[in-house]
Amino acid sequence: MSLSSYRYDGSFEGLLSAFAEARLEDAAGPAFSPASAAEGGLLWAAREVPLRPATAAALWRDLVSAGGAEAGRTLTSAWLAEESALEGALYEYCCLTLERRQCLDAWAAQPAIRAVLAAARRVGHEVHRFQGILRFAETQSGWYYAACEPDHNIIALLAPHFVGRLGDQRWAIHDRRRDLVVCWDGQELRPGRAPAAPPAGAAAGPALSEAEVATQSQWRRYHRHIAIDSRRNPRLQRRCLPRRYWPYLTEMQG
Amino acid sequence: MTIDQKLAILAESAKYDVSCASSGTTRSGGAGVGSCAVTGICHSWSADGRCVSLLKLLLGNRCIYDCAYCVNRRSNDIPRASLSVAEVVDLTLRFYRRNYIEGLFLSSAVERSPDDTMERLLEVARELRVRHAFQGYIHLKAIPGADPALVRRAGAYADRLSVNIELPSQESLQRLAPQKSKLGILGPMGVIHDGIAEYRAEAVVHRAAPRFAPAGQSTQMVVGASPENDLQILNLSAALYQRYDLKRVYYSAYVPVSTDSRLPALRTPPLEREHRLYQADWLMRLYGFAAQELLSPETPWLDPVLDPKCAWALRHPEAFPVEVATAPYERLLRVPGIGMRSAQRLCSTRRFAALRLEDLTRLGVVLRRAQFFLTVNGRCPAAGAMTPQRLRHCLISGDSARSPWWQPDLFAWRDAQAAPEACACP
Ligand code: SF4
């Protein structure tokens, strides 16, 4: 038995590589931290585990064969929550699933499973929320552009919904917090990184088409008139739609 | 008149229709634009805190009828407008492509005649579905008194159809909406019910059966404009759910829009009552309660300060305590402080390991309320004996501290996965 601490490159595959290493060494209560995290506070040095694609893929296959696609989805969603210090719970989730050879998501009283599940659920909720509150704007080039600042790293999970829905138009979803984009050109979904330094004055995104300007003003007008004055309840409105989302909502501008 | 002006007028006229549901169907792909998500999606919230999911519009508000409780009644002095079929179609598509909406909720005042109006509603849906291959959500109102053949045709294009029952009794309908008849309302409701039933039966045999309102039928009634009590209202809802297999009955607190002497003089809409009715309705649809369990001829009004499930629990001490380690799902649901989510979690987690008291809160049980009504492995978490009065007091203070009436935690959108109807914003 060893008290071990592992350092991985910050990617999901890197983390799985570290998990595989820890399992091999039968580490008790291992700690995992991404390379970007500050060192310190640790009594023993963390060991670098390099990314090993084949090892990571093998562990992933084992996990999915033990817990099914559902366990795989839970694990990736929880990972995309990007919550610090969740790695320990993710590790325990993997080990328990491999040991019991079934999806344990229903075992909500187990602390690690609960933590992983809660993170996955937060991600799921945010995806669901952005399916509703993401706003596309038609640019002069004919592309539709949507900017957002989600708490979690969700645009990869979000994009397929819009492929199904707006598949006949070309669009890009831009996570401005992480500077990630996914583009759909009508045929293919392409993830990418946004230009590190957006051109000056691009805070509001690219130049809008004429129809876009008219449509936005109509939507704002509609949104204002659909509220019933004698039921005004700004508190409830803010509870359902917290203010931090407003900067990207067409109807909340102007 | 510009389209912007029409949009403002007809949104004003449509805003008292409460349904916002966009759930219950899946549609996808094909050549055109759009899809439907089975859980429904909220896109925004307006200043009154209601969710915005569909573009809710009247095709026109030049009504030939004169229903006393309605802003659009003929005798009311308000700006009038009508949108053309092409205008509504264009607006819907432009909003949809920007992800403002899940689809269209189109209704209309009775312009010229019920048939004429119904035909134009139908035309909008047909244009969207056939010409533009639109796969988004469409909710159409069936106009009372319209030809059943038209209503049937609407079912081929719409995801949901609804006819407003308007008021909780025939007498009130006669008094306040003299041009409408019970038959004119129940007739189309029956046509829709039969269409849906046929479609479901056929879909079992072959999957490609032509669709008919796959997201079902709903209705709405105005609460507080007429003298019926809550028991009458819940009995009516129960009958509608049973007879017409409705997905939802919506309650709309009467918003004083008129000084008509036939209407009560209210300063504000009875929102609290509306909220309690939604809670009771929720209990009937999803928690297995019957209307007669919640109210009786002796106590025909819902308790304004206590939610109906707590009120039921207080009247039925013999049903408690419930042993959470072994009780079936249905009994867990009856415990105040245990919702559908937490009941499901209790049932699934106890398959893996024995439940402990400290697990309950983590599983979503609101112990502050639930503690008086349950045992965990034979032990009761609440200290000391309780008199019914003290218990009531505890439940009320807990209730109002955590969820004031405007904050309907029963309806939180987080229940989406568990509930068949995702957004139940009152
Ligand atoms: S028929 Fe409809 S729109 Fe016309 S007055 Fe009656 S409720 Fe209002």
Side-chain angles (χ1 to χ4, degrees):
Chain A
M1 192 182 93
S2 59
L3 287 173
S4 323
S5 174
Y6 301 87
R7 204 169 254 285
Y8 65 104
D9 69 352
S11 71
F12 186 58
E13 281 176 303
L15 181 66
L16 289 183
S17 309
F19 282 1
E21 184 86 2
R23 283 179 62 78
L24 213 61
E25 296 177 355
D26 196 16
F32 301 88
S33 55
S36 59
E39 189 121 15
L42 290 178
L43 292 174
W44 53 93
R47 195 145 51 74
E48 299 280 345
V49 181
L51 166 66
R52 298 189 187 103
T55 316
L59 179 61
W60 177 254
R61 269 196 310 276
D62 278 356
L63 184 87
V64 172
S65 87
E70 202 186 336
R73 265 198 305 276
T74 303
L75 194 72
T76 35
S77 294
W79 160 256
L80 289 172
E82 293 190 336
E83 280 163 20
S84 58
L86 192 68
E87 290 97 341
L90 291 171
Y91 180 70
E92 208 180 329
Y93 179 90
C94 286
C95 293
L96 281 168
T97 307
L98 289 167
E99 192 182 300
R100 296 220 180 186
R101 302 212 66 79
Q102 58 170 311
C103 180
L104 298 172
D105 288 5
W107 188 7
Q110 210 287 335
I113 291 174
R114 196 174 56 246
V116 169
L117 215 62
R121 206 174 287 126
R122 278 191 290 277
V123 168
H125 282 157
E126 196 176 40
V127 170
H128 184 77
R129 178 177 282 272
F130 274 92
Q131 286 176 355
I133 65 171
L134 196 69
R135 297 285 176 267
F136 287 89
E138 192 189 15
T139 64
Q140 280 168 2
S141 64
W143 279 69
Y144 286 79
Y145 170 79
C148 57
E149 278 180 47
D151 295 342
H152 310 297
N153 188 358
I154 57 163
I155 60 172
L157 299 177
L158 192 59
H161 170 79
F162 290 105
V163 170
R165 173 159 298 200
L166 304 175
D168 69 338
Q169 66 200 55
R170 294 174 300 166
W171 46 255
I173 302 173
H174 183 182
D175 177 342
R176 296 182 76 112
R177 172 175 293 182
R178 295 167 186 80
D179 265 327
L180 296 173
V181 267
V182 257
C183 297
W184 171 255
D185 60 7
Q187 308 287 326
E188 200 186 354
L189 205 53
R190 268 200 316 267
R193 195 157 270 287
L208 303 178
S209 74
E210 225 170 277
E212 180 61 31
V213 178
T215 307
Q216 291 196 357
S217 109
Q218 282 164 349
W219 172 241
R220 275 193 285 274
R221 181 180 276 260
Y222 171 77
H223 195 266
R224 209 169 51 242
H225 283 280
I226 204 68
I228 300 178
D229 283 334
S230 56
R231 296 183 68 134
R232 267 188 79 81
N233 193 342
R235 235 176 116 183
L236 181 58
Q237 183 188 31
R238 281 198 307 275
R239 195 174 77 96
C240 296
L241 189 61
R243 263 194 200 277
R244 63 201 164 100
Y245 297 119
W246 292 17
Y248 291 101
L249 287 172
T250 318
E251 61 270 30
M252 298 305 184
Q253 314 310 313
Chain B
M1 197 183 282
T2 67
I3 176 132
D4 288 37
Q5 288 165 320
K6 291 187 192 177
L7 184 63
I9 292 173
L10 293 169
E12 284 284 338
S13 286
K15 65 187 178 187
Y16 301 99
D17 259 312
V18 279
S19 166
C20 68
S22 57
S23 54
T25 355
T26 45
R27 286 181 185 269
S28 62
V33 56
S35 62
C36 284
V38 71
T39 47
I41 295 172
C42 299
H43 285 254
S44 190
W45 281 263
S46 47
D48 49 18
R50 298 187 307 162
C51 109
V52 178
S53 177
L54 303 172
L55 171 60
K56 196 188 292 182
L57 277 181
L58 293 198
L59 198 48
N61 69 349
R62 298 191 167 91
C63 199
I64 57 170
Y65 288 1
D66 207 33
C67 309
Y69 51 84
C70 175
V71 260
N72 302 314
R73 66 190 182 281
R74 195 183 49 202
S75 59
N76 201 17
D77 182 22
I78 54 162
R80 305 283 173 171
S82 302
L83 283 160
S84 73
V85 170
E87 283 169 333
V88 179
V89 168
D90 177 57
L91 212 50
T92 306
L93 290 172
R94 276 190 291 125
F95 282 5
Y96 194 83
R97 290 194 173 283
R98 289 158 177 79
N99 201 41
Y100 300 163
I101 52 171
E102 279 300 285
L104 176 66
F105 177 7
L106 192 63
S107 176
S108 183
V110 185
E111 297 191 326
R112 290 188 286 276
S113 74
D115 281 356
D116 192 90
T117 309
M118 192 68 224
E119 239 164 282
R120 293 181 58 238
L121 291 179
L122 193 60
E123 189 55 26
V124 172
R126 215 185 59 83
E127 279 286 289
L128 278 169
R129 286 279 194 248
V130 179
R131 208 153 87 95
H132 297 277
F134 178 68
Q135 302 291 315
Y137 195 90
I138 299 181
H139 177 166
L140 286 188
K141 269 268 133 77
I143 303 298
D147 183 343
L150 291 173
V151 176
R152 277 210 80 114
R153 276 175 52 205
Y157 303 121
D159 290 290
R160 169 164 292 184
L161 287 170
S162 61
V163 196
N164 285 357
I165 191 103
E166 307 288 12
L167 293 162
S169 77
Q170 199 177 351
E171 301 78 70
S172 295
L173 194 66
Q174 230 156 45
R175 209 158 46 84
L176 299 175
Q179 288 111 324
K180 285 185 182 159
S181 69
K182 183 177 157 195
L183 217 67
I185 292 169
L186 295 183
M189 224 180 240
V191 172
I192 298 168
H193 168 262
D194 296 348
I196 294 173
E198 279 165 34
Y199 157 63
R200 295 227 169 108
E202 231 168 282
V204 174
V205 188
H206 49 277
R207 282 183 52 216
R211 291 185 164 210
F212 190 97
Q217 169 170 212
S218 62
T219 192
Q220 159 177 346
M221 67 177 99
V222 179
V223 172
S226 52
E228 293 80 9
N229 61 37
D230 293 339
L231 177 61
Q232 279 168 289
I233 291 178
L234 289 186
N235 275 334
L236 174 61
S237 298
L240 289 171
Y241 283 128
Q242 235 215 332
R243 166 69 183 83
Y244 295 101
D245 198 20
L246 296 188
K247 270 280 181 330
R248 287 291 300 271
V249 174
Y250 289 94
Y251 308 91
S252 157
Y254 170 62
V255 177
V257 289
S258 160
T259 49
D260 194 305
S261 61
R262 289 170 294 173
L263 289 163
L266 300 174
R267 287 236 317 287
T268 51
L271 295 178
E272 238 171 292
R273 184 174 175 207
E274 179 194 279
H275 174 59
R276 293 292 174 214
L277 282 168
Y278 272 114
Q279 288 184 316
D281 183 272
W282 195 268
L283 292 176
M284 295 199 304
R285 279 185 302 124
L286 304 171
Y287 283 67
F289 281 86
Q292 298 78 8
E293 286 183 282
L294 299 171
L295 293 171
S296 65
E298 294 75 48
T299 50
W301 297 93
L302 291 167
D303 194 327
V305 291
L306 198 60
D307 81 75
K309 187 162 138 184
C310 286
W312 178 86
L314 285 182
R315 286 196 306 274
H316 292 276
E318 77 286 353
F320 300 100
V322 168
E323 171 55 56
V324 288
T326 53
Y329 178 73
E330 297 72 31
R331 292 224 36 218
L332 291 174
L333 277 184
R334 298 245 158 180
V335 178
I338 296 185
M340 292 198 301
R341 247 276 168 76
S342 41
Q344 278 159 6
R345 285 193 197 147
L346 284 168
C347 287
S348 56
T349 201
R350 68 191 182 191
R351 292 204 315 264
F352 293 94
L355 280 175
R356 297 160 306 170
L357 177 58
E358 58 268 36
D359 293 333
L360 296 191
T361 328
R362 295 187 198 129
L363 296 174
V365 176
V366 185
L367 259 192
R368 210 175 7 76
R369 250 175 286 160
Q371 57 179 336
F372 311 110
F373 301 99
L374 52 77
T375 54
V376 191
N377 306 314
R379 283 193 40 233
C380 178
M386 274 281 184
T387 63
Q389 289 82 348
R390 243 188 77 62
L391 192 50
R392 183 179 156 84
H393 179 77
C394 286
L395 291 172
I396 289 173
S397 51
D399 192 36
S400 53
R402 266 291 277 277
S403 62
W405 60 265
W406 51 264
Q407 203 179 59
D409 65 359
L410 255 182
F411 307 133
W413 64 279
R414 285 169 202 82
D415 264 346
Q417 283 142 332
E421 194 90 324
C423 177
C425 310

